[in-house]
Structure formats: C-alpha cells, structure tokens
Amino acid sequence: AAATQGFVQLHETLDATAATTTDLSEQVLAMGRAYVRWAVTHPDYYLVMFGSELDKSESPEALIAGERTFDDLLDTIVRCQRAGLLPAGDARELAGPIWSLLHGVSMLAIGSDLVHVGIDEDPEMLIERALRKLLF
C-alpha cells in the first residue's frame, strides 16, 4: 500500500510539474528536477517503491500505479519526439537511460553517497545538468 501511495504521489507531482510550462525542453528538465526532489524528500516511500522487498507482480495496485508514473516519462518523450527535440523511434529506448539516470541520482542522494565522494552539487541541479548533456 505504501508503494502504491508513493507512485500515486510521484505521478501527481510529475503531472503538476508538466502543467507549469508549455516549453517541452523546460518541461523535461522541470520534471527531472521534480522527480529527484520528490524522491529525496520522500525517501521512505521511494525506498519501498523500488526496494527488493516489493515484488510488483504480487501487488497489482503498485504495478499499475508504477506503470502510470512511468507513462509520464514516456508521454513526455513522445511529445518531444513529435516536436523534433528528441530523435524519432521507440520512446522506451530513450526512457531506459533517462529513468536510470533519475533513479540513480535519487538513490545516491538519498543514501548521501554523492556527498561521501565529494559531490556536493544539489541533486536537482545535477540531474538538470545531466539531462541537458544527455538530451539537448
């Protein structure tokens, strides 16, 4: 139930963030910052959502809520592809590296692992910089 609630909250956060601008490049960056911000400010939810203890195949509600949240990323990628900002093709091919980047920065920030190796950059700014280099 906690994982499902976390996915719902993250989806609502991403959806609200996407609605703040019509500039697709800025929307991608804002959603990336929002994803990391949400994860870092809700670490208990985030760790349950993606922890090894949760078998989503045994929790249909969490699986559906997680897929809905992943669809936020896919929808944004498709809109960027249609606008010519990202290369055409299977949106999942772009989603994999993007999500991995978002998730990795989130997990490293939650565990203070970035700070432990001397990376003091704010996680939101780190993700924005990385997304700019990866995508634009």
Side-chain angles (χ1 to χ4, degrees), residues 21-87:
T21 182
T22 57
D23 180 296
L24 288 174
S25 297
E26 180 51 39
Q27 194 176 89
V28 169
L29 299 174
M31 289 176 74
R33 290 189 307 268
Y35 183 103
V36 171
R37 180 182 325 113
W38 188 91
V40 169
T41 59
H42 299 86
D44 294 336
Y45 274 123
Y46 198 78
L47 293 173
V48 169
M49 291 160 60
F50 294 106
S52 60
E53 301 82 26
L54 177 65
D55 181 355
K56 292 181 188 78
S57 66
E58 294 179 8
S59 177
E61 298 86 10
L63 183 62
I64 291 167
E67 287 175 353
R68 185 170 142 204
T69 304
F70 183 71
D71 285 345
D72 293 329
L73 175 58
L74 288 177
D75 292 343
T76 303
I77 290 169
V78 168
R79 283 182 287 143
C80 287
Q81 288 174 317
R82 288 181 183 150
L85 296 173
L86 294 175

Side-chain angles (χ1 to χ4, degrees), residues 80-101:
C80 287
Q81 288 174 317
R82 288 181 183 150
L85 296 173
L86 294 175
D90 184 353
R92 289 178 191 278
E93 288 183 15
L94 290 171
I98 295 169
W99 185 28
S100 297
L101 181 63

